[in-house]
Amino acid sequence: MRRNAGLFVAISLLSGFGSSAMSLVAGIWILDLTGSTGLAALAGLCVYAPVLAGPWLGGLLDRASRRSLVMAVNLALAAALLSLLTVRGPGQTWLIFLVSCAYGVSYVLIDAGETALLPSALSPAELGDVNGWRSSAQEGMKLVAPLAGAGLYAWRGGHAVVLLSAAMPVLVALLYAAVRLKQTPPDLPTERRRGLRAGLAVLLAQRATRVTVALAAVSIAMSGFTTAANYAIVTGTLGLPTTFIGVLFSAQGAGSIVGGLIVGRLITRWGPVTVGVAGTTLFAVSCLVRCLPWWPGTVAASVAAGIGLPWALVAAVTAVQTHTPTAVLGRVAGTANTAMFGPIVLAIPLGSAAVQLGDRPTLVVAAAICLASAIGVAYRPARRVRVPARREESRSLQG
């Protein structure tokens, strides 16, 4: 594995550990300070809400040095985390919410920044593999970091977790400084259009990007839509204790690690569109298997979902990296992140309402939507001759 690839995987490990540990502890800390489960849940909403501003935040990456901006965001995040050392009682709870929002903004900028930086640090043949390895690293930290963060919180309190989490973005910034970037001139002249329109114009110009991002958006949204149904299956249909949900999360995490390790080879062999279709189909199958009143099948379905979701996501990210002009890669990556993760904000409450009609109907609806999307992409005939990529992208930016 080359030097830059190793650095990016290490970055994913460190950032994944710090964010996963702190995101869990923030909710626990608020609950301990206020006794309100509703307020504790709002901490998670603060983290995810900034993804809706992805097209505009991503545009910052196209108007500044991407590496410098990502390093600055990490250092600013560390400073924001250290402000939590002043939290002593319920009166400072607002500060935890504010830092949670800062975490959300940093996620958007750093995710888009890494997506934009990778093509300048790696060859096109390496992108799929490294994106998959990064996904495996992040999923692995989701298995380890929450337990470590909760244990440290129980032992030494919230301030100890703050110090540990603040150290992670500082180390990440140092690793970014060590990455060797190629000098790649912009593919197109600097364009005037900004924000959502500019990102969408480029994202929709190429079939590979619009199709894979759409498949990832459907898969991720349906994973949120089925969250409540999964809980109902465990406690109702299977009659198991709620702690069994932890087993399913671990099984899905294990599947995500495996899926991330092999997705790069699949993309190299079959292309991102085919892998995106396969990932969405696999997630649909996992929804149907969950309908069976058999707990080993539910565990197997969790593993399958863990494999399918990273396939769809990594396929979309790789397609964006390889089919987007360098000059606008930051805002296109931000727009893609919003398209992929924004719908889950609505899908989760819709799924919570739909489960009142039954857990299995909710899972069947999710599977049907995923399968319809995958089949629509796989069997849609080419209706017109595509304009050469450079000319089409140029028109989309100049129009």
Side-chain angles (χ1 to χ4, degrees):
M1 186 166 57
R2 294 185 178 180
R3 181 175 183 271
N4 281 350
L7 287 172
F8 275 110
V9 173
I11 286 169
S12 295
L13 286 169
L14 292 174
S15 60
F17 182 89
S19 61
S20 296
M22 193 62 214
S23 60
L24 173 66
V25 167
I28 297 174
W29 203 352
I30 291 171
L31 181 60
D32 284 346
L33 290 173
T34 66
S36 171
T37 56
L39 288 176
L42 283 178
L45 180 61
C46 290
V47 172
Y48 285 109
V51 75
L52 300 176
W56 295 273
L57 292 173
L60 297 174
L61 295 162
D62 296 329
R63 296 193 290 272
S65 168
R66 289 164 180 163
R67 172 160 55 182
S68 299
L69 183 58
V70 172
M71 291 173 63
V73 169
N74 274 281
L75 294 176
L77 177 60
L81 283 165
L82 291 176
S83 70
L84 293 179
L85 294 176
T86 63
V87 174
R88 302 294 177 186
Q92 290 86 42
T93 303
W94 64 271
L95 192 55
I96 302 178
F97 287 115
L98 188 63
V99 172
S100 295
C101 289
Y103 245 124
V105 172
S106 73
Y107 285 159
V108 175
L109 284 171
I110 291 171
D111 283 350
E114 285 190 358
T115 300
L117 277 173
L118 278 164
S120 298
L122 304 168
S123 67
E126 294 175 304
L127 286 174
D129 282 328
V130 176
N131 284 328
W133 296 335
R134 289 171 59 232
S135 175
S136 293
Q138 291 164 356
E139 293 300 325
M141 287 302 98
K142 289 179 183 178
L143 295 177
V144 175
L147 181 60
L152 183 59
Y153 178 85
W155 179 40
R156 302 296 296 178
H159 293 163
V161 181
V162 166
L163 290 173
L164 176 63
S165 297
M168 297 298 107
V170 174
L171 295 175
V172 166
L174 294 174
L175 291 180
Y176 275 123
V179 173
R180 295 171 182 169
L181 298 179
K182 299 176 290 185
Q183 295 297 322
T184 55
D187 293 296
L188 295 170
T190 302
E191 38 80 28
R192 299 292 182 184
R193 293 160 63 186
R194 298 180 180 179
L196 184 61
R197 284 186 64 195
L200 279 176
V202 180
L203 192 63
L204 298 177
Q206 294 288 325
R207 180 177 184 270
T209 53
R210 66 173 178 267
V211 164
T212 53
V213 169
L215 288 172
V218 168
S219 301
I220 293 169
M222 290 304 100
S223 72
F225 182 74
T226 56
T227 298
N230 292 332
Y231 292 157
I233 285 287
V234 170
T235 58
T237 302
L238 298 178
L240 296 172
T242 55
T243 51
F244 188 74
I245 294 170
V247 176
L248 299 184
F249 272 107
S250 296
Q252 183 166 334
S256 296
I257 293 173
V258 174
L261 291 174
I262 64 177
V263 66
R265 301 175 191 174
L266 300 179
I267 291 174
T268 300
R269 182 172 181 178
W270 291 327
V273 173
T274 301
V275 174
V277 169
T280 303
T281 302
L282 191 56
F283 180 76
V285 171
S286 76
C287 291
L288 295 176
V289 174
R290 288 178 197 268
C291 295
L292 301 176
W294 188 48
W295 72 262
T298 305
V299 174
S302 296
V303 175
I307 295 173
L309 288 173
W311 282 7
L313 178 59
V314 172
V317 171
T318 305
V320 168
Q321 290 169 334
T322 54
H323 293 277
T324 301
T326 304
V328 291
L329 187 50
R331 74 192 61 191
V332 174
T335 302
N337 283 344
T338 297
M340 291 187 291
F341 293 101
I344 199 173
V345 176
L346 294 176
I348 292 175
L350 285 175
S352 298
V355 79
Q356 303 303 317
L357 303 176
D359 44 29
R360 290 176 180 172
T362 302
L363 291 166
V364 170
V365 168
I369 292 174
C370 289
L371 286 174
S373 301
I375 292 171
V377 170
Y379 292 100
R380 182 180 180 182
R383 295 186 177 180
R384 63 184 179 90
V385 178
R386 297 291 299 171
V387 179
R390 294 296 181 201
R391 290 175 57 195
E392 186 174 22
E393 290 165 355
S394 179
R395 283 206 306 271
S396 68
L397 292 171
Q398 294 170 2

